[in-house]
């Protein structure tokens, strides 16, 4: 597998800045080791990352560790997106901002000299990463807690361990600067809504509504749980998946009638709602409210 060399390098700081700035906060930033060395993503891989994330006009894209700015610049130029990159190396920040100005997109794309670990990225609809595996893992709790459900996260070459990607692709990368294999992996995750807990579940069909208890557990986008059925007690949900706020659950026979049914719906905070389907035909409606 191609790898970034895990060398620890100090981010260079212009001498003039060092001579004239002695504030503690600045000293802390400039002395920080690079958490990932600078290696640019080949342009073909940048293009695929942004295509997999379906970047479009109006999206807010944030690149953590933005290097020469190519991901953000491509997102703005080819997809009409806006956003910013953060980068610890001041020369790369300057180069990226100059390039954005030269291309006439500096009103939509900015590069900030900032530590990616202290960056507020909750506004992103798309988060892009080409960082080392441990850095991805260190960022993972913040990604899951702070990004809106449905936000697309794309990573070049490194995954998120047991948070399995929603999609992945291998891309030829003949001009790749690291590794023996001249190809790259791109991983895509859709930040899942949080639905773990107890719900009051209602099924409506033929003018009648039935209420029962739904208990859901969640491991990233994978959902399991039980539904309480008359005469059967708590019966396991046979399949559950989240894609952002879109939820699919397969309920066992007995929930509506004798066959299994699929629930397709949407999460809106403490409410769930959608349609009940059998063999792709809508047969009922369902909703649920979170119990406190
Ligand atoms: C592998 S490069 C990726 C560059 C760019 N995103 C791309 O894909 O072409 C990682 C970048 O992260 C920057 N970096 C490393 N540690 C950082 C930190 N703590 N905060 C911000 N940037 C950092 C490095 O200087 C480097 O430019």
């Amino acid at each position: 597998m191609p790898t970034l060399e895990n060398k620890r390098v100090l981010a260079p700081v212009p001498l003039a800045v060092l001579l004239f700035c002695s504030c503690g906060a600045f000293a802390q930033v400039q002395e920080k080791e690079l958490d990932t060395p600078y290696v640019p993503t080949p342009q073909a891989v940048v293009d695929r990352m942004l295509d997999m994330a379906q970047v479009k006009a109006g999206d807010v894209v944030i690149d953590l560790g933005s290097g020469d700015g190519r991901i953000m610049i491509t997102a703005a130029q080819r997809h009409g997106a806006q956003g910013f990159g953060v980068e610890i190396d001041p020369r790369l920040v300057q180069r990226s901002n100059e390039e954005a100005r030269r291309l006439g997109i500096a009103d939509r794309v900015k590069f900030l000299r900032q530590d990616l670990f202290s960056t507020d990225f909750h506004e992103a609809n798309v988060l892009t990463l080409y960082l080392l595996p441990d850095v991805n893992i260190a960022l993972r709790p913040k990604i899951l807690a702070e990004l809106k459900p449905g936000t697309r996260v794309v990573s070049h070459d490194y995954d998120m361990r047991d948070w399995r990607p929603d999609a992945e692709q291998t891309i030829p990368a003949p001009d790749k600067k690291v590794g023996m294999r001249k190809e790259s992996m791109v991983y895509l995750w859709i930040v899942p809504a949080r639905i773990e807990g107890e719900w009051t579940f209602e099924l409506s069909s033929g003018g009648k509504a039935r209420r029962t208890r739904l208990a859901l557990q969640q491991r990233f986008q994978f959902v399991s749980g039980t539904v309480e059925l008359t005469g059967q007690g708590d019966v396991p949900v046979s399949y559950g998946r989240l894609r952002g706020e879109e939820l699919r659950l397969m309920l066992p026979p007995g929930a509506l009638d004798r066959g299994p049914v699929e629930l397709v719906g949407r999460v809106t905070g403490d409410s769930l709602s959608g349609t009940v389907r059998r063999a792709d035909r809508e047969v009922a409606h369902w909703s649920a409210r979170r119990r406190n």
Side-chain angles (χ1 to χ4, degrees), residues 108-169:
R108 283 186 288 132
V109 174
K110 303 248 173 309
F111 296 93
L112 310 170
R113 177 153 189 252
Q114 199 167 295
D115 183 353
L116 60 90
F117 283 110
S118 50
T119 296
D120 177 354
F121 51 73
H122 81 276
E123 278 187 10
N125 306 109
V126 176
L127 187 73
T128 60
L129 312 170
Y130 183 25
L131 301 167
L132 288 168
D134 288 351
V135 181
N136 278 4
I137 292 305
L139 286 169
R140 196 176 84 171
K142 186 164 159 165
I143 288 174
L144 285 162
E146 294 180 15
L147 286 177
K148 295 176 283 294
T151 301
R152 293 90 81 198
V153 180
V154 270
S155 170
H156 177 188
D157 266 349
Y158 298 108
D159 64 13
M160 298 264 188
R161 297 211 187 119
D162 55 334
W163 181 13
R164 286 174 32 206
D166 293 285
E168 61 181 80
Q169 288 186 14

Side-chain angles (χ1 to χ4, degrees), residues 203-206 256-257 260-262 275-285:
L203 258 181
S204 326
S205 80
L256 187 66
D257 48 31
V261 285
E262 186 183 24
T275 56
V276 183
R277 297 187 191 183
R278 188 183 303 109
D280 276 341
R281 233 170 34 87
E282 248 180 63
V283 293
H285 284 89

